[in-house]
Amino acid sequence: MTQQPDSIRVGVLGARGRMGLEVCKAVDAAGDLELVAMIDQGDELFKASDAGAQVFVDFTTPDVVMDNLRWAVDQGISMVVGTTGFTAERLEQVRGWLAAKPGVGVLIAPNFGLGAVLMMQFATRAARYFESVEVIEQHHPRKLDAPSGTSTHTAELIAQARAEAGLGPMPDATKEEVDGARGADIDGVRVHSVRASGLVAHQEVLFGSLGETLTIRHDSLDRVSFMPGVLLGVRKIRQRPGLTVGLDSFLD
Amino acid sequence: MTQQPDSIRVGVLGARGRMGLEVCKAVDAAGDLELVAMIDQGDELFKASDAGAQVFVDFTTPDVVMDNLRWAVDQGISMVVGTTGFTAERLEQVRGWLAAKPGVGVLIAPNFGLGAVLMMQFATRAARYFESVEVIEQHHPRKLDAPSGTSTHTAELIAQARAEAGLGPMPDATKEEVDGARGADIDGVRVHSVRASGLVAHQEVLFGSLGETLTIRHDSLDRVSFMPGVLLGVRKIRQRPGLTVGLDSFLD
Amino acid sequence: MTQQPDSIRVGVLGARGRMGLEVCKAVDAAGDLELVAMIDQGDELFKASDAGAQVFVDFTTPDVVMDNLRWAVDQGISMVVGTTGFTAERLEQVRGWLAAKPGVGVLIAPNFGLGAVLMMQFATRAARYFESVEVIEQHHPRKLDAPSGTSTHTAELIAQARAEAGLGPMPDATKEEVDGARGADIDGVRVHSVRASGLVAHQEVLFGSLGETLTIRHDSLDRVSFMPGVLLGVRKIRQRPGLTVGLDSFLD
Amino acid sequence: MTQQPDSIRVGVLGARGRMGLEVCKAVDAAGDLELVAMIDQGDELFKASDAGAQVFVDFTTPDVVMDNLRWAVDQGISMVVGTTGFTAERLEQVRGWLAAKPGVGVLIAPNFGLGAVLMMQFATRAARYFESVEVIEQHHPRKLDAPSGTSTHTAELIAQARAEAGLGPMPDATKEEVDGARGADIDGVRVHSVRASGLVAHQEVLFGSLGETLTIRHDSLDRVSFMPGVLLGVRKIRQRPGLTVGLDSFLD
């Protein structure tokens, strides 16, 4: 695709991984972005800076991502990071590096799915207006943890919003319960984990008050769904100096 | 409503209760049925037989229903019973009374909702064709038990159908679980109980195999939904001598 | 219920109507509100002001609501209005009356269901992030219009948000269509109207991009669901002088 | 996988096509089936019979499938056919060939998805018990026809079942309709076609009577979901001599 004169030059780190490859394709297909470097194990990072990369996208592994970040920040290259394994200590370290480079932005996001991010925003916002809320997440049966990370995070956000609005515990008259029927208790919010063949990754947040319910549901079928969120990050990161955690604040 | 000459004459026992009242209205509104007696506490049963009742509908209480049944069977009156509390012993006793009255039919059903009955039939039938199945039931927060009786019964029927088809345990790689996340285990079938204001009575059975899911969902909003099932029973009971348990076999 | 010393004194106009009666019950049950007057046809409005009403709630009819509004504004009484039939001319007239009474607030809202209002807010907000969106509304079969007013309004809001974000038409390769299959076209957004016994009032907004969908669904089963929205209006209206149309801006 | 001594020997025609390839993988992975020949353009059919094939699976094209069928029937090889384009004339011709070979079975099915087949069975069965029913199908936006073939067929089956049960038209008070809002009319059953990015192939059949609804929903995400149906056909076809159209009767 012919690039516009003011297109953003992008380097992809982890370019041969499953996510990295999708990012390369998505950058390549976007008229306002230019893919200038595909870096993976065995390649040197300076190839990317030599190619004039203005933004790096990093889908690598926890053991190399910190080196990548340090090097990019030093070079004044902004970065969009989907790699996992960021502890509070690591985030603090990145903030330290960025303090010395005021023009550089880094976005670290656990989830680039716009649908998932919006679901969490909407759930947080609706939480104060309803008496009851429960979360039902549904995944393929190869998943190791229950509940999912996203559903746990959603429940925590809801619990916090309810507390801020002064809402007490939800009504629940259950007296006789077969163990587990009422789901997991995450900060007072019940979360149910369904596992079945044929499912991919789905989540439903069900709010209820007398006479009405409001349901927010997200269905994710393919990792290609993360690309719009990654591209949104790439397009905006240079206007957001410093460290941003979570795609949330990039939506507005 | 003008009655047809061959209309069935119906007496309602427990006529002033919530369900009984609905039955009276439904019988009254049906062109092929005639409401000839409304009986409740303080009324004598012979008023109903004097009025020529051919079928009794009983929505009373466990402490009087056996007397009602005995008396009706003795009089040769068939009976449709929605009252709860029937043990194996009680059912055996009713069978004994009916043995002496070959022309009389009694239908005892825990659930007259056609939707619920069909949901259970379909779930039983689909069970053998899918790798995975889970049940999600959703009710108002005043409900005392979790899971609901209907969902427990559904899970038992599914477990039995899977066993008969030689299916083994479902795939489930869960390693880390917050207590309760994976729901209650009913004969190997996971059941999840959601409780929230704004809900009435809902149940979803989710079947899955590689690449597809099949979902059967029942939403019950009002006890008026039981009336088609009660009327179906009234219309057919005299052609079904002996004891029938469950509305199931009346549908076909 | 014992009233708090600083409770708001409320008069209900149209108190014997279906909605008015619910409002009376809801105000009566709220610890921070005091029901001081129930007015209906044949009652004089000054009974309500004599009783010290600070806020009126009006669920009357289009032919009397303007008189009620004029009188209340003159008396310095704020007003929460659910009565229908407001044209641009009527709204302008109310604004004129309020201009002379800077301390008085009037809220006129077509829908007091918080769930419906949040659904529309979320749909508007999500609209710019997805390639596709369609609306499916489901109602009881006694409804006269299709699509529903709420779904039409939702589609208009979505169309406007898409236009503002520079989104073009949605992908749709349909070549052969049985008339009506693709629904009604409301400003380029497809709306589907389902009508069936057993339904009450439901709406689903389905957003999709490659690999994911986001669904926002509202189920309204009972007019009691409008009460939290009415009470929210009553509690806030005296801090919102002038005319507010729609409950939307009261949520935040 | 080690084959059992009594495994069925299977030849796949159209083995290099998308469906054919999936069939080869599925047969290969099944312990009770043996993949003995993979035939595609340029290969001779006798290679498959030489290899001892007992059953052929055909996912080829309308222009070669009739030759394949004739040859297989002549050789006494049973056949499971997913190729499209069968007219009444073609079916009659196949029946003619089979008349001369009483031991051979042929199954021709437009849809091998067990979920879709069960959905249609259940919808047909539920049709007589509800006042209202509508069909909502949802597909990716590259689909050319609306409504889908499966939803049209479902609506026809429902219409027929309602007619047989003596049900009249459904209640619908719609007076004002924006063109298309109420969907397509297929034999009196309304069908709504949703098209959006992120969707694959989904269908919902919604039944309703006063106070309750019953929903049957099928979600198909991947052509791998057709394999259990194909294998079911392969396993049973030799016990079903003659022509069978539709997988339906193989389920029970």
Side-chain angles (χ1 to χ4, degrees):
Chain A
M1 181 170 274
T2 312
Q3 296 305 318
Q4 301 161 0
D6 59 346
S7 63
I8 303 171
R9 292 187 298 280
V10 181
V12 176
L13 315 187
R16 291 196 296 271
R18 294 184 311 174
M19 282 296 291
L21 195 61
E22 289 294 340
V23 174
C24 291
K25 286 195 255 176
V27 168
D28 196 50
D32 60 338
L33 307 178
E34 190 179 353
L35 180 63
V36 297
M38 296 171 63
I39 306 288
D40 212 307
Q41 278 183 304
D43 301 320
E44 298 295 336
L45 284 178
F46 62 74
K47 279 175 49 185
S49 50
D50 284 1
Q54 297 165 299
V55 177
F56 277 179
V57 178
D58 188 303
F59 280 94
T60 59
T61 55
D63 56 316
V64 302
V65 67
M66 291 302 282
D67 288 344
N68 294 348
L69 270 162
R70 169 140 226 186
W71 192 87
V73 173
D74 275 355
Q75 303 288 320
I77 297 172
S78 291
M79 204 152 157
V80 172
V81 182
T83 307
T84 58
F86 281 87
T87 58
E89 290 72 31
R90 288 191 154 200
L91 295 175
E92 207 42 58
Q93 210 169 355
V94 176
R95 264 189 210 100
W97 299 334
L98 285 163
K101 290 281 185 175
V104 180
V106 168
L107 166 66
I108 298 176
N111 194 331
F112 279 96
L114 295 181
V117 171
L118 288 169
M119 174 179 62
M120 283 186 270
Q121 280 192 358
F122 296 164
T124 305
R125 183 159 163 66
R128 61 184 305 171
Y129 296 112
F130 291 89
E131 268 189 298
S132 301
V133 54
E134 306 212 349
V135 180
I136 303 144
E137 54 95 342
Q138 309 189 329
H139 283 84
H140 57 84
R142 299 173 307 285
K143 189 168 178 58
L144 298 176
D145 53 327
S148 68
T150 299
S151 69
T152 302
H153 188 45
T154 307
E156 289 165 352
L157 291 169
I158 289 169
Q160 190 182 328
R162 286 178 65 94
E164 284 167 16
L167 296 181
M170 303 174 203
D172 182 357
T174 309
K175 282 279 190 326
E176 290 178 54
E177 182 190 356
V178 178
D179 259 13
R182 291 286 292 113
D185 183 327
I186 305 291
D187 295 359
V189 178
R190 298 289 175 155
V191 181
H192 309 268
S193 299
V194 176
R195 298 289 175 268
S197 291
L199 293 173
V200 186
H202 319 263
Q203 181 172 314
E204 209 170 285
V205 186
L206 172 77
F207 292 97
S209 286
L210 268 187
E212 70 172 344
T213 58
L214 179 70
T215 307
I216 304 164
R217 180 181 173 109
H218 181 236
D219 295 87
S220 176
L221 300 187
D222 195 309
R223 71 179 70 92
V224 75
S225 70
F226 299 126
M227 293 311 116
V230 171
L231 298 195
L232 181 70
V234 168
R235 286 178 180 122
K236 289 200 174 179
I237 187 61
R238 291 183 305 160
Q239 284 83 54
R240 305 282 182 120
L243 176 64
T244 305
V245 178
L247 191 61
D248 205 69
S249 67
F250 276 51
L251 303 183
D252 72 327
Chain B
M1 180 170 276
T2 312
Q3 295 306 316
Q4 301 163 1
D6 59 347
S7 63
I8 303 169
R9 292 188 299 279
V10 182
V12 176
L13 315 187
R16 289 196 297 268
R18 293 183 313 174
M19 282 297 290
L21 195 61
E22 289 294 341
V23 174
C24 291
K25 286 195 255 176
V27 168
D28 196 51
D32 60 337
L33 307 178
E34 191 179 352
L35 180 63
V36 298
M38 297 171 63
I39 306 287
D40 213 307
Q41 279 184 305
D43 300 320
E44 298 295 337
L45 282 178
F46 62 75
K47 280 175 49 185
S49 51
D50 284 2
Q54 297 164 297
V55 177
F56 278 179
V57 178
D58 187 301
F59 280 93
T60 59
T61 56
D63 56 316
V64 303
V65 68
M66 292 301 283
D67 287 346
N68 294 348
L69 270 162
R70 168 138 225 187
W71 194 86
V73 173
D74 275 355
Q75 302 288 320
I77 297 172
S78 291
M79 205 152 155
V80 172
V81 181
T83 307
T84 58
F86 280 88
T87 58
E89 290 73 31
R90 287 191 155 202
L91 294 175
E92 208 40 58
Q93 210 167 356
V94 176
R95 264 188 210 100
W97 298 336
L98 283 163
K101 290 280 184 174
V104 179
V106 168
L107 166 66
I108 298 177
N111 195 330
F112 280 95
L114 295 181
V117 171
L118 288 170
M119 174 179 62
M120 283 186 271
Q121 279 192 0
F122 295 165
T124 305
R125 184 160 163 66
R128 62 183 306 170
Y129 296 111
F130 291 89
E131 269 189 297
S132 302
V133 53
E134 306 212 349
V135 180
I136 303 144
E137 54 94 345
Q138 310 189 328
H139 283 85
H140 58 82
R142 300 174 307 285
K143 188 167 179 59
L144 299 176
D145 53 327
S148 67
T150 299
S151 69
T152 301
H153 189 46
T154 307
E156 289 165 351
L157 291 169
I158 289 169
Q160 191 182 328
R162 286 178 64 93
E164 284 167 16
L167 296 180
M170 304 175 203
D172 182 357
T174 309
K175 283 279 189 324
E176 290 178 53
E177 183 190 355
V178 178
D179 258 13
R182 291 287 290 112
D185 182 327
I186 305 291
D187 295 358
V189 178
R190 299 289 175 155
V191 181
H192 309 269
S193 299
V194 176
R195 298 291 174 266
S197 291
L199 293 173
V200 185
H202 319 262
Q203 181 173 315
E204 208 168 286
V205 186
L206 172 78
F207 292 97
S209 287
L210 268 187
E212 71 171 345
T213 58
L214 179 70
T215 308
I216 304 164
R217 180 180 172 110
H218 182 237
D219 296 88
S220 176
L221 300 186
D222 195 310
R223 72 178 68 92
V224 75
S225 69
F226 299 127
M227 293 310 116
V230 171
L231 299 195
L232 181 70
V234 168
R235 286 176 181 123
K236 289 200 174 178
I237 187 61
R238 291 183 306 160
Q239 284 83 53
R240 305 280 182 120
L243 177 63
T244 304
V245 177
L247 189 60
D248 204 68
S249 67
F250 276 51
L251 303 182
D252 74 327
Chain C
M1 180 171 275
T2 313
Q3 297 305 319
Q4 300 162 3
D6 60 347
S7 62
I8 303 170
R9 290 186 300 282
V10 181
V12 176
L13 316 187
R16 288 196 297 270
R18 292 184 314 173
M19 281 298 290
L21 195 61
E22 288 295 339
V23 174
C24 291
K25 285 195 256 177
V27 168
D28 196 50
D32 60 337
L33 306 178
E34 191 178 353
L35 180 63
V36 298
M38 297 171 63
I39 306 288
D40 212 307
Q41 278 183 305
D43 301 320
E44 298 294 337
L45 283 179
F46 62 74
K47 278 176 51 185
S49 50
D50 285 0
Q54 297 165 298
V55 177
F56 278 179
V57 178
D58 187 302
F59 280 93
T60 60
T61 56
D63 56 315
V64 302
V65 67
M66 291 302 282
D67 288 344
N68 293 348
L69 270 162
R70 169 141 226 186
W71 193 87
V73 172
D74 275 354
Q75 302 289 320
I77 297 172
S78 291
M79 205 152 155
V80 172
V81 182
T83 306
T84 58
F86 280 88
T87 58
E89 290 71 33
R90 288 192 155 200
L91 293 176
E92 207 41 57
Q93 211 169 355
V94 176
R95 264 189 210 99
W97 299 334
L98 283 164
K101 290 281 185 175
V104 179
V106 168
L107 167 66
I108 298 176
N111 193 330
F112 279 96
L114 295 181
V117 171
L118 288 169
M119 175 180 61
M120 282 186 271
Q121 280 192 358
F122 296 164
T124 306
R125 183 160 163 66
R128 61 183 305 170
Y129 296 111
F130 290 89
E131 267 189 300
S132 302
V133 53
E134 305 213 349
V135 180
I136 304 144
E137 54 95 343
Q138 310 189 328
H139 283 85
H140 57 83
R142 300 174 306 286
K143 189 166 180 59
L144 298 176
D145 53 328
S148 67
T150 299
S151 69
T152 302
H153 188 46
T154 306
E156 289 165 351
L157 291 170
I158 289 169
Q160 190 182 329
R162 284 179 66 93
E164 284 167 17
L167 296 181
M170 304 175 204
D172 182 358
T174 308
K175 282 281 189 324
E176 290 178 55
E177 182 190 355
V178 178
D179 259 12
R182 293 286 292 114
D185 183 326
I186 305 290
D187 295 359
V189 178
R190 297 289 175 156
V191 181
H192 309 268
S193 300
V194 176
R195 297 290 175 267
S197 292
L199 293 173
V200 186
H202 318 262
Q203 182 173 315
E204 208 169 285
V205 186
L206 173 77
F207 292 97
S209 286
L210 268 188
E212 70 171 346
T213 58
L214 178 71
T215 308
I216 303 165
R217 182 181 171 108
H218 181 236
D219 295 88
S220 176
L221 301 186
D222 194 311
R223 72 179 67 92
V224 75
S225 69
F226 299 127
M227 293 310 116
V230 171
L231 298 195
L232 181 70
V234 168
R235 287 177 180 122
K236 290 199 173 179
I237 188 60
R238 291 184 304 160
Q239 284 84 55
R240 305 280 183 119
L243 176 64
T244 304
V245 177
L247 190 60
D248 205 67
S249 67
F250 277 51
L251 301 184
D252 74 327
Chain D
M1 180 171 274
T2 312
Q3 296 305 318
Q4 301 162 3
D6 59 345
S7 63
I8 303 170
R9 292 188 298 281
V10 181
V12 176
L13 315 187
R16 290 197 296 270
R18 292 185 312 174
M19 283 297 290
L21 196 60
E22 289 293 340
V23 174
C24 291
K25 286 195 254 176
V27 168
D28 195 51
D32 60 337
L33 306 178
E34 192 179 352
L35 180 63
V36 297
M38 296 171 62
I39 306 288
D40 212 307
Q41 278 183 306
D43 301 320
E44 298 295 337
L45 282 178
F46 61 74
K47 279 175 49 184
S49 51
D50 284 1
Q54 298 164 298
V55 177
F56 277 179
V57 178
D58 188 303
F59 280 93
T60 60
T61 54
D63 56 317
V64 302
V65 68
M66 291 301 282
D67 287 345
N68 294 348
L69 270 162
R70 169 140 223 186
W71 193 86
V73 172
D74 275 355
Q75 303 288 322
I77 298 172
S78 291
M79 206 152 153
V80 171
V81 181
T83 306
T84 58
F86 280 88
T87 58
E89 290 72 31
R90 289 192 154 199
L91 294 175
E92 207 41 57
Q93 209 167 356
V94 177
R95 263 188 210 99
W97 298 335
L98 284 164
K101 290 280 184 176
V104 179
V106 168
L107 167 66
I108 298 176
N111 194 331
F112 280 96
L114 294 181
V117 172
L118 289 169
M119 175 180 61
M120 282 185 271
Q121 280 193 358
F122 296 165
T124 306
R125 184 160 163 65
R128 61 184 305 170
Y129 297 111
F130 290 89
E131 268 189 298
S132 301
V133 53
E134 305 212 349
V135 180
I136 304 144
E137 54 94 343
Q138 310 189 328
H139 283 85
H140 58 83
R142 298 174 309 285
K143 189 167 178 58
L144 298 176
D145 53 327
S148 67
T150 299
S151 68
T152 302
H153 189 45
T154 307
E156 289 165 352
L157 291 169
I158 289 169
Q160 190 182 329
R162 286 178 64 94
E164 284 168 16
L167 296 181
M170 305 175 203
D172 182 357
T174 308
K175 283 279 191 321
E176 291 177 54
E177 182 190 356
V178 178
D179 259 13
R182 291 286 291 113
D185 183 326
I186 304 292
D187 295 359
V189 177
R190 298 289 175 156
V191 181
H192 309 269
S193 299
V194 176
R195 297 291 175 264
S197 291
L199 293 173
V200 186
H202 319 262
Q203 182 173 316
E204 208 170 285
V205 186
L206 173 78
F207 292 97
S209 286
L210 267 187
E212 71 171 346
T213 57
L214 179 70
T215 308
I216 303 165
R217 180 181 174 108
H218 181 237
D219 295 88
S220 176
L221 301 187
D222 195 310
R223 72 179 68 92
V224 76
S225 69
F226 299 127
M227 293 310 116
V230 171
L231 298 195
L232 181 71
V234 169
R235 287 178 181 121
K236 289 200 174 178
I237 187 60
R238 292 183 304 160
Q239 285 83 54
R240 306 280 183 121
L243 177 63
T244 304
V245 178
L247 191 59
D248 205 67
S249 67
F250 277 50
L251 302 183
D252 74 327

